[in-house]
Amino acid sequence: MGNTVSCCMSPGGSPKLPRQQDSVEDYQANTDLSEDTGPYLQHISDREVPDDLAHESNPSDHARASTIFLSKSQTDVRDKRKSNHINHFSPGPLSKKYSSCSTIFIDDSTVSQPNLKSTIKCVTLAIYYHIKNRDSDRSLDIFDEKMHPLSRDHVPEDYSRTDPEHKLIYRFVRTLFSAAQLTAECAIVTLVYLERLLTYAELDICPCNWKRMVLGAILLASKVWDDQAVWNVDYCQILKDITVEDMNEMERHFLELLQFNINVPASVYAKYYFDLRSLADDNNLSFPLEPLSNERAQKLEAISRLCEDKYKDLSKVSMRRSLSADNLLNSRTRRSQAVLS
């Protein structure tokens, strides 16, 4: 509905953004009466953005577009690898666990059930790279922490010039997820909404707005993803000094800037999950490996046996059909099977 390639998109869609308005002359030229067709209405295909441009500008809508956080992190990753190569830096003893004959380690984090702690670490690291490698400081007053503080603590004068560390971002997000009992999938959807906000509204995550932007994305993602969503008043109990009116206003502005496009396709969700895994590998953030227990092995064996029986039944049906067709075709020309001795 709110996609930029839909018929609901208009250049002046958001009242908060300084966008160019269509001139009156162009509008009058498009609405001139024609003798044959009547008033001229622009076809939807004429208003759609080309596929190449859409994929480049909206990674949160299209699965083929590369995520913004991964591209922003590549600069630091290349510099780190170059520095390690020049200085002959050794990563030290290997801390990764490997399977052996007696113990098998498995990664419990999957695209359908991600590990909560590791996912939050990766999402906050993506936010950190957004802040560190931002192009400018474009923001809106509704997200400014000094105009709308989250606590009664004094906001320092240089709050807009000091980039937060990854630990600070992780602590803030982890506190919200722990108190509200949110899932790891909600963290991935939060990152999707953040990058969609940056693309649609042409904003940047800055030191002065990252807390309120992240809070707004978490608030919206929890309501869209979880069946039992956390109410705004519940967040006011977590953040003691914020009011419900402020939360409602921020949520309303967030939705308007997203043009009410809260849909997250499965392909986009999977892309963000695997890009977060790539980000973790580039920054030596390993997902936990747990030893395979007897109970888990029995569950995996039962699941595999169930899938094997299912596909075996399907193969029997397909084989039976092929044999019946073969019998129909070769019913007149049956040949005896050769016996090799």
Side-chain angles (χ1 to χ4, degrees):
M1 175 179 176
N3 198 335
T4 55
V5 296
S6 67
C7 59
C8 299
M9 172 61 184
S10 62
S14 176
K16 298 291 181 181
L17 303 177
R19 302 186 183 275
Q20 296 179 354
Q21 302 291 336
D22 292 338
S23 60
V24 180
E25 292 79 2
D26 294 340
Y27 175 78
Q28 292 177 351
N30 291 335
T31 56
D32 288 341
L33 295 178
S34 174
E35 296 179 358
D36 299 331
T37 60
Y40 172 75
L41 295 178
Q42 190 180 21
H43 193 267
I44 185 174
S45 61
D46 298 332
R47 298 195 299 268
E48 288 181 345
V49 183
D51 291 339
D52 296 338
L53 181 59
H55 293 324
E56 292 177 0
S57 58
N58 296 321
S60 61
D61 291 328
H62 304 281
R64 289 183 294 173
S66 59
T67 53
I68 303 176
F69 71 86
L70 193 61
S71 60
K72 286 183 177 295
S73 66
Q74 292 306 308
T75 304
D76 288 27
V77 171
R78 286 193 297 266
D79 293 343
K80 187 183 300 183
R81 290 175 179 173
K82 184 178 179 180
S83 176
N84 293 342
H85 177 72
I86 294 176
N87 299 327
H88 302 284
F89 177 76
S90 176
L94 296 177
S95 58
K96 186 176 180 180
K97 299 178 180 179
Y98 293 92
S99 300
S100 63
C101 297
S102 60
T103 306
I104 299 177
F105 292 97
I106 58 174
D107 184 0
D108 280 343
S109 181
T110 61
V111 66
S112 59
Q113 292 181 344
N115 180 270
L116 177 60
K117 184 177 180 180
S118 301
T119 303
I120 294 179
K121 279 187 177 180
C122 294
V123 170
T124 52
L125 184 61
I127 297 173
Y128 167 77
Y129 279 121
H130 266 292
I131 301 174
K132 182 180 179 181
N133 299 327
R134 64 188 182 276
D135 298 327
S136 59
D137 293 325
R138 298 170 297 181
S139 182
L140 294 175
D141 293 344
I142 189 62
F143 299 122
D144 196 317
E145 191 176 351
K146 192 160 190 177
M147 296 184 178
H148 302 274
L150 297 179
S151 64
R152 297 179 182 178
D153 298 337
H154 175 69
V155 179
E157 296 296 333
D158 60 343
Y159 77 105
S160 61
R161 297 187 299 270
T162 305
D163 293 345
E165 295 292 334
H166 177 220
K167 292 182 179 180
L168 178 61
I169 304 175
Y170 172 77
R171 195 180 303 118
F172 176 77
V173 176
R174 179 70 177 178
T175 301
L176 293 176
F177 270 73
S178 299
Q181 298 181 355
L182 302 179
T183 60
E185 297 89 345
C186 184
I188 299 177
V189 177
T190 296
L191 184 58
V192 175
Y193 287 160
L194 277 175
E195 295 209 340
R196 186 172 295 176
L197 176 69
L198 302 183
T199 305
Y200 282 19
E202 299 179 359
L203 299 176
D204 297 287
I205 304 182
C206 312
C208 64
N209 63 14
W210 71 269
K211 283 187 178 181
R212 291 183 62 84
M213 273 191 177
V214 171
L215 177 60
I218 293 176
L219 171 66
L220 191 59
S222 63
K223 291 184 176 182
V224 173
W225 186 264
D226 292 338
D227 295 332
Q228 296 179 349
V230 182
W231 291 12
N232 292 2
V233 67
D234 297 328
Y235 287 98
C236 296
Q237 297 178 0
I238 302 173
L239 303 171
K240 301 295 185 180
D241 300 326
I242 194 172
T243 62
V244 180
E245 291 76 16
D246 187 17
M247 295 285 294
N248 295 340
E249 183 182 4
M250 182 174 59
E251 181 184 7
R252 182 172 63 253
H253 280 79
F254 206 104
L255 281 170
E256 290 177 356
L257 293 172
L258 289 185
Q259 301 173 21
F260 297 92
N261 180 15
I262 58 176
N263 179 45
V264 179
S267 56
V268 172
Y269 173 88
K271 176 190 66 176
Y272 272 79
Y273 169 79
F274 288 110
D275 282 358
L276 287 172
R277 295 289 301 241
S278 300
L279 182 68
D281 293 337
D282 293 338
N283 292 270
N284 299 323
L285 292 178
S286 59
F287 279 66
L289 297 176
E290 299 294 337
L292 182 62
S293 60
N294 293 333
E295 182 181 359
R296 182 64 188 277
Q298 292 175 359
K299 289 183 179 179
L300 292 177
E301 185 178 1
I303 294 174
S304 62
R305 189 184 301 112
L306 180 63
C307 295
E308 183 180 356
D309 295 340
K310 178 180 178 182
Y311 287 112
K312 187 183 296 184
D313 295 338
L314 292 177
S315 63
K316 286 182 179 179
V317 173
S318 61
M319 184 64 69
R320 191 179 302 114
R321 290 178 179 176
S322 62
L323 288 176
S324 62
D326 185 66
N327 292 335
L328 287 175
L329 292 175
N330 299 327
S331 59
R332 297 181 179 179
T333 59
R334 292 181 179 273
R335 298 179 181 179
S336 60
Q337 298 180 355
V339 177
L340 301 179
S341 60

